[in-house]
């Protein structure tokens, strides 16, 4: 049997990489599968901090599953094909561990699929370690904890599930870190955007969604100071216009999220700004507007855009 | 909170009804959900035998989830929308327990989804009882056992998973029946086709599949004597032609499955008989041909048709 690649979504974040590395380990231990973790991009600043902190090498970056020698793959932290590896339709998806909605996903054969509406894919992988009575190594616990902290902004996002708090505490214990202290340090590591070009900044955590036939790109960056990001508005808008033109995105919505106060500034450019304004019941001024209390793309942005764009 | 309906696929079989009734019970006990079991059709002869044997009333038959008072639903033993309730797109799918491939399935929000490539949805529901440490009542064990026996033809189908044998033995113990004896009696109860019109016969266990843009209907009937069913070939073909015309099916493939010897006769009518012949590498004579060893639509018919119809 050839190897099975396990990977999260494009533009990987700490949950995509943490859940993939941890699940690849679990699948070997619990099910005897020949799994290997991979990633669909290099770690971002936050994830680089995490991997360095727990002494875990970054997983191999792949552009094609087949070119990387795999006919079978397991997806973590995503299921929509447009967020997956380029040749996803040419390989067999034999498993999925995810916490997103299901869309644009299809298989020819029955598979293992484990989805829960919880704060992170890492939360689910941790639960599966427990169900299979596999001990969680310290570094793996660190990665899973980081995935959960990253996706829930330290359990503050409305995507946080009631079960996630206990998961975070257990994982912090196993990883040997203080939850609050480590969590804030990790999130702050992801907010250093100074070394990024505008094109890099809008690609750090960007996902495409098909809304009523339109390709809408929704990106998010974390910061401790929204104004600092807006200082670069001109070059960011330039980068957005370039990526919209190059990739055929009808619209680009950038969430600039204040991780300390749990708010976001929305910067948006494209053909349907009326729909973006209607989605959030605000007026864009100079292409941006404040969205109080919004930190979750999944719960506070995508459903609103989906409804506003119509079907 | 309003009630949540739990139901299996159209043309319900023993696994669709058993898994729905059992999961509705489990979700109440384990998660405190206000669930109610339902079915998308009346029980077939086999399932009627099962319900009668264990003294369980048939679940309510619904044609619309909303008309039945539910905004939220949980699907068991299926996920493809064309196999589900008519208004599936107008309600929220909050959970799925299934053992089929995923296709034509999409949600607006994250959900609970538990798929495993095992012999029956009932096998998975039983595993979830154990994980949640909920005792399985005798009648529920009987329904789950029947779902597994029905879908695997008493563990003989290639869809049987290595874990299913132990599941069957544990459930037989809990249900207080002898596995072989009960299993054969139950399967035989489903083979009495004499009271069925030809139109009813081809609808007992029929599912639609979209193959390269064609609506292909694939039905299965169990028998202890293939010749006895073929004696009715003329009226069956008449019924198939009528249903193809009425529903726009391009093709109809009927598996007449010998449950004693584990073989099937394929009777097929429609516009792509060349593709059906290529799928199984046989020649249809007088519209039918023998398929040795084939008992599973899911493993031995659908993938072959999908490949042959192309994409």
């Amino acid at each position: 049997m050839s190897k099975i690649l396990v990977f999260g979504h494009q533009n990987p974040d700490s949950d995509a990489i943490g859940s993939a590395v941890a699940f690849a380990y679990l699948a070997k231990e619990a099910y005897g599968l020949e799994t290997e973790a991979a990633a669909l991009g290099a770690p971002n600043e936050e994830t680089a901090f995490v991997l360095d902190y727990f002494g875990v090498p970054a997983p191999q970056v792949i552009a094609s599953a087949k070119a990387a020698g795999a006919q079978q793959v397991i997806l973590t932290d995503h299921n929509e094909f447009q967020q997956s590896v380029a040749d996803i339709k040419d390989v067999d998806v034999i498993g999925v561990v995810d916490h997103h909605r299901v869309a644009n996903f299809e298989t020819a054969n029955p598979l293992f699929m484990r989805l829960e509406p919880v704060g992170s894919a890492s939360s689910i992988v941790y639960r599966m370690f427990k169900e299979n009575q596999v001990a969680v190594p310290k570094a793996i616990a660190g990665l899973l904890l980081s995935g959960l902290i990253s996706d829930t902004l330290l359990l503050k996002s409305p995507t946080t599930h009631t079960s996630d708090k206990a998961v975070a505490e257990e994982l912090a214990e196993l990883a040997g870190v203080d939850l609050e202290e480590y969590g804030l340090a990790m999130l702050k590591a992801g907010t250093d955007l100074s070394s990024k070009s505008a094109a890099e900044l809008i690609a750090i955590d960007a996902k495409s969604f098909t809304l009523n036939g339109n390709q809408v790109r929704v990106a998010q960056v974390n910061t401790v100071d929204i104004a600092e990001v807006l200082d670069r508005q001109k070059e960011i808008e330039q980068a957005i216009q370039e990526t919209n033109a190059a990739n055929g995105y009808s619209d680009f919505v950038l969430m600039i999220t204040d991780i300390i106060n749990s708010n976001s500034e929305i910067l948006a450019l494209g053909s349907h700004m009326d729909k973006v304004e209607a989605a959030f019941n605000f007026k864009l001024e100079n292409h941006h507007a404040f969205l109080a209390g919004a930190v979750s793309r999944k719960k506070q942005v995508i459903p609103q855009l989906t409804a506003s764009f119509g079907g």
Side-chain angles (χ1 to χ4, degrees), chain A:
Chain A
M1 201 175 71
S2 68
K3 69 178 168 189
I4 301 161
L5 284 177
V6 184
F7 48 83
H9 51 78
Q10 295 170 12
N11 297 315
D13 55 18
S14 298
D15 192 35
I17 288 186
S19 62
V21 171
F23 192 78
Y25 176 89
L26 174 66
K28 253 186 215 163
E29 296 291 315
Y31 320 127
L33 296 179
E34 266 192 53
T35 46
E36 243 177 55
L40 303 185
N44 62 29
E45 307 270 314
E46 178 194 286
T47 310
F49 171 93
V50 171
L51 293 169
D52 181 61
Y53 192 100
F54 291 103
V56 177
Q60 56 183 319
V61 174
I62 60 162
S64 151
K66 291 185 93 159
Q71 182 52 44
Q72 297 188 311
V73 302
I74 294 172
L75 313 183
T76 70
D77 198 29
H78 75 297
N79 66 81
E80 303 194 36
F81 279 0
Q82 79 277 8
Q83 298 167 1
S84 197
V85 74
D87 61 342
I88 186 70
K89 289 188 178 176
D90 304 327
V91 293
D92 299 319
V93 182
I94 64 163
V96 179
V97 180
D98 190 18
H99 68 131
H100 294 91
R101 69 164 190 163
V102 176
N104 192 19
F105 176 82
E106 167 167 328
T107 63
N109 293 297
L111 73 162
F112 282 98
M113 203 156 168
R114 177 72 177 258
L115 272 63
E116 298 180 16
V118 296
S120 68
S122 293
S123 312
I124 308 168
V125 175
Y126 175 58
R127 195 145 32 247
M128 296 176 84
F129 268 88
K130 297 218 289 190
E131 285 168 5
N132 288 284
Q133 296 174 305
V134 173
V136 190
K138 186 174 175 175
I140 297 277
L143 295 195
L144 290 172
L145 175 65
S146 303
L148 175 54
I149 291 172
S150 175
D151 262 30
T152 60
L153 291 183
L154 237 177
L155 309 175
K156 281 191 203 148
S157 163
T159 56
T160 311
H161 190 258
T162 46
S163 63
D164 284 327
K165 195 164 178 295
V167 168
E169 282 163 5
E170 290 173 36
L171 284 171
E173 174 87 25
L174 288 165
V177 298
D178 178 85
L179 175 58
E180 291 295 323
E181 192 184 317
Y182 169 77
L184 211 55
M186 184 201 114
L187 289 175
K188 276 190 180 157
T191 66
D192 179 14
L193 305 170
S194 57
S195 66
K196 302 274 181 199
S197 72
E200 287 168 343
L201 185 150
I202 63 165
I204 291 173
D205 178 9
K207 292 183 183 177
S208 297
F209 298 85
T210 306
L211 302 182
N212 200 8
N214 303 288
Q215 292 304 312
V216 179
R217 189 81 165 166
V218 184
Q220 183 170 26
V221 290
N222 292 340
T223 181
V224 289
D225 184 3
I226 287 174
E228 199 177 280
V229 181
L230 282 179
D231 281 347
R232 300 176 63 183
Q233 183 176 353
K234 203 174 153 195
E235 53 163 326
I236 291 173
E237 289 193 4
Q238 177 70 26
I240 288 176
Q241 267 151 356
E242 281 167 16
T243 195
N244 280 1
N247 298 287
Y249 304 138
S250 68
D251 301 272
F252 197 108
V253 177
L254 175 65
M255 298 176 68
I256 305 164
T257 300
D258 176 345
I259 60 165
I260 306 295
N261 301 302
S262 300
N263 296 310
S264 289
E265 189 78 17
I266 302 291
L267 174 65
L269 289 174
S271 315
H272 303 89
M273 290 304 106
D274 55 330
K275 294 202 163 54
V276 173
E277 290 184 330
F280 306 114
N281 196 26
F282 64 24
K283 264 286 179 225
L284 293 165
E285 285 180 34
N286 186 22
H287 308 142
H288 61 91
F290 185 67
L291 205 55
V295 295
S296 165
R297 172 168 48 195
K298 182 158 71 172
K299 285 227 175 187
Q300 297 169 303
V301 172
I302 299 305
Q304 290 74 6
L305 285 174
T306 304
S308 178
F309 272 73

